């Protein structure tokens, strides 16, 4: 909650003239194994807002674990930069970076989770409703990295969580095992369904993400077939709570997991949500690097 309040404070400070340069002289090294628009730009611009700088390191340059071992990359980078943000395929790779780096390492998405997304998402919910506790967040589609972080953020901050996925594409059982104790502490429910209509009943937030994540391109045709029923469209949204908002981490595949009508409709929060990635991450950067 403190991180969310700091994010809201930094956003307000930025909008009313600018942030103080609390990260002056500090550089964030950004290691990418996959493409990005939001993560790259929001971290880079966020660092500049705080008086620091950021360095984009493309997949070709670093060759994480290929050109050089992850342990060596971590130790070399730690001599140059004051923080590392990494977007990786295998979650173990970001853990390995964190193990060897002597500077903070931020997960900018792995095949397991996307915590910076979860933070920006919950900030967006908090701003819109003025609270998180007691709300219901429904995720429609693949039990993927974004769903995992949304579940963890919801469970930590007291929002009920439901998810509808086709058989074989559910959240990992181990993820649910990790989330249950958090849910118990926060007195919230976690419900899993196959039927999207069941999942969105009374939901305050209807969330979706791509059917095919980065790295799963070979499965795209099969997934397109399996996920046909899991589109957030006007009919499905009508089954949610009347004041429900629609969220998507982006990039969106309009006409697949989300219709244009919903993405551009009055309940959509997808662009403020994308902006909030930057404000939320600035709070993380201040916490870790100032
Ligand atoms: N939502 C998100 O992480 O977007 P990018 O892949 O463009 O960074
Ligand atoms: N689940 C998506 C999220 C992209 C931000 C992916 O991993 O490709």
């Amino acid at each position: 909650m403190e991180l969310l309040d700091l994010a809201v404070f930094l956003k307000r400070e930025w909008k009313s003239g600018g942030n103080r340069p609390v990260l002056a002289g500090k550089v964030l090294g950004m290691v990418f194994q996959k493409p990005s628009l939001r993560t790259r730009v929001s971290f880079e611009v966020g660092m500049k807002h705080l008086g620091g700088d950021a360095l984009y390191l493309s997949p070709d340059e670093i060759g994480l674990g290929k050109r050089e071992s992850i342990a060596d990359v971590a130790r070399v980078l730690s001599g140059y930069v004051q923080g590392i943000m990494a977007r990786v395929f295998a979650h173990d790779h970001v853990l390995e970076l964190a193990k060897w780096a002597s500077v903070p390492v931020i997960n900018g998405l792995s095949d397991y989770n996307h915590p910076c997304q979860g933070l920006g998402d919950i900030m967006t919910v908090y701003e819109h409703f003025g609270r998180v506790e007691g709300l219901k967040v429904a995720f429609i589609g693949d039990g993927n990295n974004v769903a995992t972080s949304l579940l963890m953020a919801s469970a930590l901050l007291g929002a009920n969580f439901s998810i509808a996925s086709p058989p074989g594409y559910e959240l990992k059982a181990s993820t649910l095992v990790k989330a249950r104790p958090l849910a118990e502490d926060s007195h919230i429910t976690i419900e899993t369904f196959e039927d999207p209509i069941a999942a969105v009943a009374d939901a305050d937030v209807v969330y979706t993400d791509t059917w095919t994540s980065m790295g799963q391109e070979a499965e795209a045709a099969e997934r397109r077939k399996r996920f046909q029923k899991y589109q957030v469209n006007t009919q499905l949204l009508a089954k949610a709570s009347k004041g429900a908002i629609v969220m998507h981490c982006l990039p969106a595949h309009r006409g697949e997991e989300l219709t244009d009508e919903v993405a551009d409709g009055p309940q959509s929060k997808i662009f403020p949500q994308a902006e909030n990635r930057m404000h939320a991450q600035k709070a993380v950067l201040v916490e870790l690097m100032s």
Side-chain angles (χ1 to χ4, degrees):
M1 210 60 210
E2 290 81 25
L3 210 51
L4 275 191
D5 287 327
L6 178 58
V8 170
F9 168 81
L10 289 168
K11 180 172 179 177
R12 201 174 306 132
E13 191 183 55
W14 171 251
K15 301 253 175 198
S16 58
N19 298 123
R20 280 160 291 168
V22 291
L23 297 184
K26 306 264 170 92
V27 177
L28 179 73
M30 306 192 298
V31 178
F32 281 92
Q33 285 188 326
K34 300 177 183 179
S36 169
L37 169 63
R38 282 144 290 271
T39 305
R40 183 203 166 159
V41 178
S42 59
F43 268 109
E44 189 163 336
V45 174
M47 279 300 291
K48 288 180 200 274
H49 285 180
L50 296 164
D53 215 338
L55 204 59
Y56 171 71
L57 300 159
S58 74
D60 294 343
E61 271 159 345
I62 298 239
L64 202 62
K66 291 185 191 131
R67 182 170 184 262
E68 201 163 350
S69 78
I70 295 175
D72 286 359
V73 169
R75 287 175 288 183
V76 169
L77 275 179
S78 297
Y80 300 138
V81 298
Q82 290 67 49
I84 298 170
M85 189 279 296
R87 166 165 288 192
V88 298
F89 282 102
H91 189 67
D92 282 351
H93 290 182
V94 75
L95 298 181
E96 180 81 356
L97 269 176
K99 179 177 162 192
W100 291 98
S102 56
V103 298
V105 174
I106 301 168
N107 175 356
L109 180 147
S110 72
D111 59 351
Y112 167 59
N113 65 1
H114 196 359
C116 295
Q117 184 68 53
L119 188 64
D121 294 343
I122 284 293
M123 176 184 179
T124 308
V125 171
Y126 182 50
E127 272 189 323
H128 181 79
F129 292 101
R131 67 190 168 102
V132 177
E133 261 180 37
L135 296 174
K136 176 174 171 182
V137 174
F139 187 97
I140 305 303
D142 194 15
N144 64 13
N145 45 8
V146 169
T148 297
S149 289
L150 188 66
L151 164 61
M152 293 303 176
S154 302
L156 265 174
L157 293 172
N160 299 293
F161 184 86
S162 69
I163 182 165
S165 312
Y169 297 91
E170 298 95 344
L171 277 169
K172 284 198 188 78
S174 56
T175 300
L176 290 169
V177 167
K178 270 191 210 151
R180 296 270 180 222
L182 301 178
E184 269 167 37
D185 284 351
S186 306
H187 309 290
I188 59 124
T189 57
I190 299 174
E191 296 176 293
T192 58
F193 298 98
E194 188 179 332
D195 178 10
I197 296 175
V200 299
D202 301 321
D204 302 291
V205 177
V206 178
Y207 199 118
T208 191
D209 182 19
T210 183
W211 294 337
T212 303
S213 287
M214 292 179 278
Q216 300 172 331
E217 289 77 9
E219 301 169 22
E222 175 65 16
R223 283 173 169 267
R224 207 167 286 126
K225 274 191 245 154
R226 304 289 296 276
F227 281 85
Q228 275 312 311
K229 273 192 351 199
Y230 296 82
Q231 182 184 68
V232 175
N233 52 34
T234 309
Q235 291 85 328
L236 185 66
L237 190 53
K239 309 280 184 196
S241 168
K242 207 157 157 260
I245 59 171
V246 173
M247 297 180 69
H248 191 307
C249 58
L250 304 179
H253 304 78
R254 290 161 175 258
E256 293 193 359
E257 75 272 6
L258 183 74
T259 58
D260 279 334
E261 205 181 353
V262 168
D264 301 324
Q267 290 164 277
S268 173
K269 286 283 164 201
I270 62 176
F271 297 117
Q273 177 188 0
E275 184 189 317
N276 279 340
R277 283 289 304 279
M278 179 176 71
H279 304 298
Q281 288 161 193
K282 280 164 68 176
V284 174
L285 294 168
V286 169
E287 278 295 314
L288 295 178
M289 289 173 69
S290 65

PDB file of all heavy atoms in Angstrom, residues 201-227:
ATOM      1  N   ALA A 201     -19.361 -12.334 -13.248  1.00  0.00           N
ATOM      2  CA  ALA A 201     -20.547 -11.960 -12.451  1.00  0.00           C
ATOM      3  C   ALA A 201     -20.129 -11.036 -11.306  1.00  0.00           C
ATOM      4  O   ALA A 201     -19.213 -11.364 -10.548  1.00  0.00           O
ATOM      5  CB  ALA A 201     -21.201 -13.231 -11.898  1.00  0.00           C
ATOM      6  N   ASP A 202     -20.763  -9.877 -11.223  1.00  0.00           N
ATOM      7  CA  ASP A 202     -20.501  -8.875 -10.170  1.00  0.00           C
ATOM      8  C   ASP A 202     -19.078  -8.316 -10.173  1.00  0.00           C
ATOM      9  O   ASP A 202     -18.649  -7.730  -9.173  1.00  0.00           O
ATOM     10  CB  ASP A 202     -20.791  -9.436  -8.770  1.00  0.00           C
ATOM     11  CG  ASP A 202     -22.237  -9.892  -8.631  1.00  0.00           C
ATOM     12  OD1 ASP A 202     -23.106  -9.190  -9.167  1.00  0.00           O
ATOM     13  OD2 ASP A 202     -22.469 -10.966  -8.034  1.00  0.00           O
ATOM     14  N   ALA A 203     -18.345  -8.511 -11.244  1.00  0.00           N
ATOM     15  CA  ALA A 203     -16.952  -8.028 -11.260  1.00  0.00           C
ATOM     16  C   ALA A 203     -16.915  -6.503 -11.411  1.00  0.00           C
ATOM     17  O   ALA A 203     -17.701  -5.911 -12.155  1.00  0.00           O
ATOM     18  CB  ALA A 203     -16.186  -8.673 -12.401  1.00  0.00           C
ATOM     19  N   ASP A 204     -15.986  -5.877 -10.688  1.00  0.00           N
ATOM     20  CA  ASP A 204     -15.758  -4.434 -10.819  1.00  0.00           C
ATOM     21  C   ASP A 204     -14.688  -4.151 -11.859  1.00  0.00           C
ATOM     22  O   ASP A 204     -14.603  -3.044 -12.399  1.00  0.00           O
ATOM     23  CB  ASP A 204     -15.289  -3.870  -9.462  1.00  0.00           C
ATOM     24  CG  ASP A 204     -16.302  -4.144  -8.375  1.00  0.00           C
ATOM     25  OD1 ASP A 204     -17.386  -3.535  -8.444  1.00  0.00           O
ATOM     26  OD2 ASP A 204     -16.044  -4.994  -7.494  1.00  0.00           O
ATOM     27  N   VAL A 205     -13.841  -5.151 -12.111  1.00  0.00           N
ATOM     28  CA  VAL A 205     -12.769  -5.023 -13.109  1.00  0.00           C
ATOM     29  C   VAL A 205     -12.832  -6.248 -14.007  1.00  0.00           C
ATOM     30  O   VAL A 205     -12.842  -7.377 -13.517  1.00  0.00           O
ATOM     31  CB  VAL A 205     -11.378  -4.978 -12.416  1.00  0.00           C
ATOM     32  CG1 VAL A 205     -10.269  -4.930 -13.448  1.00  0.00           C
ATOM     33  CG2 VAL A 205     -11.286  -3.808 -11.447  1.00  0.00           C
ATOM     34  N   VAL A 206     -12.899  -6.000 -15.314  1.00  0.00           N
ATOM     35  CA  VAL A 206     -12.842  -7.109 -16.275  1.00  0.00           C
ATOM     36  C   VAL A 206     -11.539  -6.941 -17.046  1.00  0.00           C
ATOM     37  O   VAL A 206     -11.331  -5.928 -17.724  1.00  0.00           O
ATOM     38  CB  VAL A 206     -14.054  -7.099 -17.225  1.00  0.00           C
ATOM     39  CG1 VAL A 206     -13.942  -8.241 -18.237  1.00  0.00           C
ATOM     40  CG2 VAL A 206     -15.351  -7.219 -16.431  1.00  0.00           C
ATOM     41  N   TYR A 207     -10.658  -7.918 -16.896  1.00  0.00           N
ATOM     42  CA  TYR A 207      -9.284  -7.804 -17.394  1.00  0.00           C
ATOM     43  C   TYR A 207      -9.032  -8.901 -18.414  1.00  0.00           C
ATOM     44  O   TYR A 207      -9.454 -10.037 -18.225  1.00  0.00           O
ATOM     45  CB  TYR A 207      -8.322  -7.984 -16.205  1.00  0.00           C
ATOM     46  CG  TYR A 207      -6.918  -7.465 -16.412  1.00  0.00           C
ATOM     47  CD1 TYR A 207      -6.402  -6.455 -15.623  1.00  0.00           C
ATOM     48  CD2 TYR A 207      -6.092  -7.994 -17.405  1.00  0.00           C
ATOM     49  CE1 TYR A 207      -5.106  -5.974 -15.793  1.00  0.00           C
ATOM     50  CE2 TYR A 207      -4.813  -7.518 -17.597  1.00  0.00           C
ATOM     51  CZ  TYR A 207      -4.319  -6.515 -16.791  1.00  0.00           C
ATOM     52  OH  TYR A 207      -3.037  -6.052 -16.988  1.00  0.00           O
ATOM     53  N   THR A 208      -8.330  -8.566 -19.487  1.00  0.00           N
ATOM     54  CA  THR A 208      -7.903  -9.621 -20.408  1.00  0.00           C
ATOM     55  C   THR A 208      -6.512  -9.334 -20.943  1.00  0.00           C
ATOM     56  O   THR A 208      -5.974  -8.230 -20.777  1.00  0.00           O
ATOM     57  CB  THR A 208      -8.921  -9.836 -21.540  1.00  0.00           C
ATOM     58  OG1 THR A 208      -8.588 -11.044 -22.250  1.00  0.00           O
ATOM     59  CG2 THR A 208      -8.957  -8.673 -22.512  1.00  0.00           C
ATOM     60  N   ASP A 209      -5.924 -10.332 -21.561  1.00  0.00           N
ATOM     61  CA  ASP A 209      -4.581 -10.214 -22.144  1.00  0.00           C
ATOM     62  C   ASP A 209      -4.557 -11.102 -23.386  1.00  0.00           C
ATOM     63  O   ASP A 209      -5.475 -11.902 -23.626  1.00  0.00           O
ATOM     64  CB  ASP A 209      -3.528 -10.651 -21.102  1.00  0.00           C
ATOM     65  CG  ASP A 209      -2.086 -10.527 -21.610  1.00  0.00           C
ATOM     66  OD1 ASP A 209      -1.851  -9.789 -22.579  1.00  0.00           O
ATOM     67  OD2 ASP A 209      -1.191 -11.169 -21.014  1.00  0.00           O
ATOM     68  N   THR A 210      -3.495 -10.980 -24.126  1.00  0.00           N
ATOM     69  CA  THR A 210      -3.336 -11.762 -25.354  1.00  0.00           C
ATOM     70  C   THR A 210      -3.537 -13.265 -25.109  1.00  0.00           C
ATOM     71  O   THR A 210      -3.241 -13.764 -24.033  1.00  0.00           O
ATOM     72  CB  THR A 210      -1.930 -11.520 -25.961  1.00  0.00           C
ATOM     73  OG1 THR A 210      -1.822 -12.241 -27.177  1.00  0.00           O
ATOM     74  CG2 THR A 210      -0.816 -11.978 -25.017  1.00  0.00           C
ATOM     75  N   TRP A 211      -4.017 -13.947 -26.132  1.00  0.00           N
ATOM     76  CA  TRP A 211      -4.168 -15.404 -26.038  1.00  0.00           C
ATOM     77  C   TRP A 211      -2.813 -16.097 -26.224  1.00  0.00           C
ATOM     78  O   TRP A 211      -2.630 -17.242 -25.835  1.00  0.00           O
ATOM     79  CB  TRP A 211      -5.150 -15.896 -27.113  1.00  0.00           C
ATOM     80  CG  TRP A 211      -6.551 -15.405 -26.909  1.00  0.00           C
ATOM     81  CD1 TRP A 211      -7.103 -14.987 -25.729  1.00  0.00           C
ATOM     82  CD2 TRP A 211      -7.581 -15.291 -27.894  1.00  0.00           C
ATOM     83  NE1 TRP A 211      -8.410 -14.618 -25.928  1.00  0.00           N
ATOM     84  CE2 TRP A 211      -8.730 -14.797 -27.249  1.00  0.00           C
ATOM     85  CE3 TRP A 211      -7.640 -15.549 -29.267  1.00  0.00           C
ATOM     86  CZ2 TRP A 211      -9.934 -14.556 -27.916  1.00  0.00           C
ATOM     87  CZ3 TRP A 211      -8.832 -15.314 -29.943  1.00  0.00           C
ATOM     88  CH2 TRP A 211      -9.973 -14.822 -29.262  1.00  0.00           C
ATOM     89  N   THR A 212      -1.888 -15.399 -26.900  1.00  0.00           N
ATOM     90  CA  THR A 212      -0.577 -15.988 -27.198  1.00  0.00           C
ATOM     91  C   THR A 212       0.514 -15.031 -26.724  1.00  0.00           C
ATOM     92  O   THR A 212       0.683 -13.954 -27.294  1.00  0.00           O
ATOM     93  CB  THR A 212      -0.423 -16.217 -28.729  1.00  0.00           C
ATOM     94  OG1 THR A 212      -1.502 -17.053 -29.167  1.00  0.00           O
ATOM     95  CG2 THR A 212       0.892 -16.868 -29.075  1.00  0.00           C
ATOM     96  N   SER A 213       1.219 -15.413 -25.699  1.00  0.00           N
ATOM     97  CA  SER A 213       2.265 -14.544 -25.161  1.00  0.00           C
ATOM     98  C   SER A 213       3.553 -14.663 -25.966  1.00  0.00           C
ATOM     99  O   SER A 213       3.746 -15.625 -26.722  1.00  0.00           O
ATOM    100  CB  SER A 213       2.540 -14.914 -23.700  1.00  0.00           C
ATOM    101  OG  SER A 213       1.478 -14.475 -22.890  1.00  0.00           O
ATOM    102  N   MET A 214       4.446 -13.695 -25.736  1.00  0.00           N
ATOM    103  CA  MET A 214       5.745 -13.714 -26.413  1.00  0.00           C
ATOM    104  C   MET A 214       6.466 -15.022 -26.079  1.00  0.00           C
ATOM    105  O   MET A 214       6.528 -15.414 -24.914  1.00  0.00           O
ATOM    106  CB  MET A 214       6.591 -12.517 -25.953  1.00  0.00           C
ATOM    107  CG  MET A 214       6.049 -11.191 -26.426  1.00  0.00           C
ATOM    108  SD  MET A 214       7.036  -9.782 -25.845  1.00  0.00           S
ATOM    109  CE  MET A 214       6.390  -9.542 -24.192  1.00  0.00           C
ATOM    110  N   GLY A 215       6.954 -15.678 -27.105  1.00  0.00           N
ATOM    111  CA  GLY A 215       7.624 -16.972 -26.904  1.00  0.00           C
ATOM    112  C   GLY A 215       6.714 -18.146 -27.235  1.00  0.00           C
ATOM    113  O   GLY A 215       7.180 -19.277 -27.331  1.00  0.00           O
ATOM    114  N   GLN A 216       5.399 -17.880 -27.395  1.00  0.00           N
ATOM    115  CA  GLN A 216       4.453 -18.984 -27.679  1.00  0.00           C
ATOM    116  C   GLN A 216       3.919 -18.913 -29.111  1.00  0.00           C
ATOM    117  O   GLN A 216       2.896 -19.520 -29.420  1.00  0.00           O
ATOM    118  CB  GLN A 216       3.259 -18.894 -26.717  1.00  0.00           C
ATOM    119  CG  GLN A 216       3.646 -19.003 -25.255  1.00  0.00           C
ATOM    120  CD  GLN A 216       2.497 -18.710 -24.318  1.00  0.00           C
ATOM    121  OE1 GLN A 216       1.584 -17.946 -24.658  1.00  0.00           O
ATOM    122  NE2 GLN A 216       2.539 -19.269 -23.130  1.00  0.00           N
ATOM    123  N   GLU A 217       4.608 -18.161 -29.962  1.00  0.00           N
ATOM    124  CA  GLU A 217       4.096 -17.878 -31.306  1.00  0.00           C
ATOM    125  C   GLU A 217       3.743 -19.146 -32.079  1.00  0.00           C
ATOM    126  O   GLU A 217       2.777 -19.163 -32.847  1.00  0.00           O
ATOM    127  CB  GLU A 217       5.108 -17.029 -32.094  1.00  0.00           C
ATOM    128  CG  GLU A 217       5.228 -15.572 -31.615  1.00  0.00           C
ATOM    129  CD  GLU A 217       6.040 -15.391 -30.319  1.00  0.00           C
ATOM    130  OE1 GLU A 217       6.671 -16.369 -29.864  1.00  0.00           O
ATOM    131  OE2 GLU A 217       6.021 -14.283 -29.766  1.00  0.00           O
ATOM    132  N   ALA A 218       4.484 -20.231 -31.861  1.00  0.00           N
ATOM    133  CA  ALA A 218       4.217 -21.485 -32.598  1.00  0.00           C
ATOM    134  C   ALA A 218       2.848 -22.061 -32.250  1.00  0.00           C
ATOM    135  O   ALA A 218       2.293 -22.851 -33.008  1.00  0.00           O
ATOM    136  CB  ALA A 218       5.311 -22.504 -32.310  1.00  0.00           C
ATOM    137  N   GLU A 219       2.295 -21.667 -31.100  1.00  0.00           N
ATOM    138  CA  GLU A 219       0.994 -22.203 -30.659  1.00  0.00           C
ATOM    139  C   GLU A 219      -0.166 -21.293 -31.052  1.00  0.00           C
ATOM    140  O   GLU A 219      -1.311 -21.548 -30.663  1.00  0.00           O
ATOM    141  CB  GLU A 219       0.971 -22.319 -29.120  1.00  0.00           C
ATOM    142  CG  GLU A 219       2.035 -23.197 -28.532  1.00  0.00           C
ATOM    143  CD  GLU A 219       2.108 -23.046 -27.004  1.00  0.00           C
ATOM    144  OE1 GLU A 219       1.120 -22.612 -26.372  1.00  0.00           O
ATOM    145  OE2 GLU A 219       3.158 -23.356 -26.456  1.00  0.00           O
ATOM    146  N   ALA A 220       0.110 -20.214 -31.772  1.00  0.00           N
ATOM    147  CA  ALA A 220      -0.901 -19.167 -31.981  1.00  0.00           C
ATOM    148  C   ALA A 220      -2.184 -19.704 -32.624  1.00  0.00           C
ATOM    149  O   ALA A 220      -3.293 -19.385 -32.171  1.00  0.00           O
ATOM    150  CB  ALA A 220      -0.322 -18.022 -32.803  1.00  0.00           C
ATOM    151  N   ALA A 221      -2.070 -20.540 -33.654  1.00  0.00           N
ATOM    152  CA  ALA A 221      -3.262 -21.011 -34.378  1.00  0.00           C
ATOM    153  C   ALA A 221      -4.130 -21.865 -33.454  1.00  0.00           C
ATOM    154  O   ALA A 221      -5.362 -21.682 -33.382  1.00  0.00           O
ATOM    155  CB  ALA A 221      -2.841 -21.794 -35.618  1.00  0.00           C
ATOM    156  N   GLU A 222      -3.503 -22.762 -32.720  1.00  0.00           N
ATOM    157  CA  GLU A 222      -4.225 -23.640 -31.789  1.00  0.00           C
ATOM    158  C   GLU A 222      -4.896 -22.797 -30.688  1.00  0.00           C
ATOM    159  O   GLU A 222      -6.066 -22.999 -30.335  1.00  0.00           O
ATOM    160  CB  GLU A 222      -3.226 -24.646 -31.187  1.00  0.00           C
ATOM    161  CG  GLU A 222      -3.784 -25.554 -30.103  1.00  0.00           C
ATOM    162  CD  GLU A 222      -4.867 -26.508 -30.600  1.00  0.00           C
ATOM    163  OE1 GLU A 222      -4.984 -26.679 -31.822  1.00  0.00           O
ATOM    164  OE2 GLU A 222      -5.612 -27.055 -29.745  1.00  0.00           O
ATOM    165  N   ARG A 223      -4.158 -21.849 -30.171  1.00  0.00           N
ATOM    166  CA  ARG A 223      -4.693 -21.006 -29.098  1.00  0.00           C
ATOM    167  C   ARG A 223      -5.884 -20.182 -29.600  1.00  0.00           C
ATOM    168  O   ARG A 223      -6.860 -19.998 -28.891  1.00  0.00           O
ATOM    169  CB  ARG A 223      -3.595 -20.081 -28.560  1.00  0.00           C
ATOM    170  CG  ARG A 223      -2.627 -20.800 -27.648  1.00  0.00           C
ATOM    171  CD  ARG A 223      -1.463 -19.923 -27.258  1.00  0.00           C
ATOM    172  NE  ARG A 223      -0.697 -20.535 -26.180  1.00  0.00           N
ATOM    173  CZ  ARG A 223      -0.886 -20.309 -24.888  1.00  0.00           C
ATOM    174  NH1 ARG A 223      -1.779 -19.435 -24.504  1.00  0.00           N
ATOM    175  NH2 ARG A 223      -0.175 -20.936 -23.975  1.00  0.00           N
ATOM    176  N   ARG A 224      -5.771 -19.683 -30.823  1.00  0.00           N
ATOM    177  CA  ARG A 224      -6.878 -18.883 -31.377  1.00  0.00           C
ATOM    178  C   ARG A 224      -8.163 -19.710 -31.373  1.00  0.00           C
ATOM    179  O   ARG A 224      -9.233 -19.211 -31.078  1.00  0.00           O
ATOM    180  CB  ARG A 224      -6.508 -18.422 -32.788  1.00  0.00           C
ATOM    181  CG  ARG A 224      -7.207 -17.134 -33.188  1.00  0.00           C
ATOM    182  CD  ARG A 224      -6.624 -16.521 -34.438  1.00  0.00           C
ATOM    183  NE  ARG A 224      -5.337 -15.889 -34.217  1.00  0.00           N
ATOM    184  CZ  ARG A 224      -4.221 -16.142 -34.896  1.00  0.00           C
ATOM    185  NH1 ARG A 224      -4.222 -17.021 -35.872  1.00  0.00           N
ATOM    186  NH2 ARG A 224      -3.101 -15.518 -34.622  1.00  0.00           N
ATOM    187  N   LYS A 225      -8.044 -20.976 -31.670  1.00  0.00           N
ATOM    188  CA  LYS A 225      -9.229 -21.859 -31.660  1.00  0.00           C
ATOM    189  C   LYS A 225      -9.740 -22.070 -30.234  1.00  0.00           C
ATOM    190  O   LYS A 225     -10.926 -21.957 -29.958  1.00  0.00           O
ATOM    191  CB  LYS A 225      -8.847 -23.242 -32.239  1.00  0.00           C
ATOM    192  CG  LYS A 225      -8.949 -23.311 -33.742  1.00  0.00           C
ATOM    193  CD  LYS A 225      -8.818 -24.758 -34.213  1.00  0.00           C
ATOM    194  CE  LYS A 225      -7.544 -24.894 -35.042  1.00  0.00           C
ATOM    195  NZ  LYS A 225      -6.962 -26.220 -35.079  1.00  0.00           N
ATOM    196  N   ARG A 226      -8.822 -22.361 -29.334  1.00  0.00           N
ATOM    197  CA  ARG A 226      -9.203 -22.720 -27.961  1.00  0.00           C
ATOM    198  C   ARG A 226      -9.777 -21.541 -27.173  1.00  0.00           C
ATOM    199  O   ARG A 226     -10.539 -21.736 -26.231  1.00  0.00           O
ATOM    200  CB  ARG A 226      -7.990 -23.305 -27.210  1.00  0.00           C
ATOM    201  CG  ARG A 226      -7.355 -24.499 -27.898  1.00  0.00           C
ATOM    202  CD  ARG A 226      -8.230 -25.736 -27.815  1.00  0.00           C
ATOM    203  NE  ARG A 226      -8.410 -26.182 -26.436  1.00  0.00           N
ATOM    204  CZ  ARG A 226      -7.583 -26.945 -25.775  1.00  0.00           C
ATOM    205  NH1 ARG A 226      -6.478 -27.382 -26.361  1.00  0.00           N
ATOM    206  NH2 ARG A 226      -7.834 -27.305 -24.529  1.00  0.00           N
ATOM    207  N   PHE A 227      -9.396 -20.326 -27.561  1.00  0.00           N
ATOM    208  CA  PHE A 227      -9.796 -19.152 -26.768  1.00  0.00           C
ATOM    209  C   PHE A 227     -10.991 -18.390 -27.369  1.00  0.00           C
ATOM    210  O   PHE A 227     -11.349 -17.335 -26.843  1.00  0.00           O
ATOM    211  CB  PHE A 227      -8.601 -18.193 -26.609  1.00  0.00           C
ATOM    212  CG  PHE A 227      -7.605 -18.622 -25.556  1.00  0.00           C
ATOM    213  CD1 PHE A 227      -6.588 -19.520 -25.860  1.00  0.00           C
ATOM    214  CD2 PHE A 227      -7.684 -18.146 -24.266  1.00  0.00           C
ATOM    215  CE1 PHE A 227      -5.668 -19.925 -24.887  1.00  0.00           C
ATOM    216  CE2 PHE A 227      -6.774 -18.541 -23.291  1.00  0.00           C
ATOM    217  CZ  PHE A 227      -5.761 -19.434 -23.606  1.00  0.00           C
TER     218      PHE A 227
END
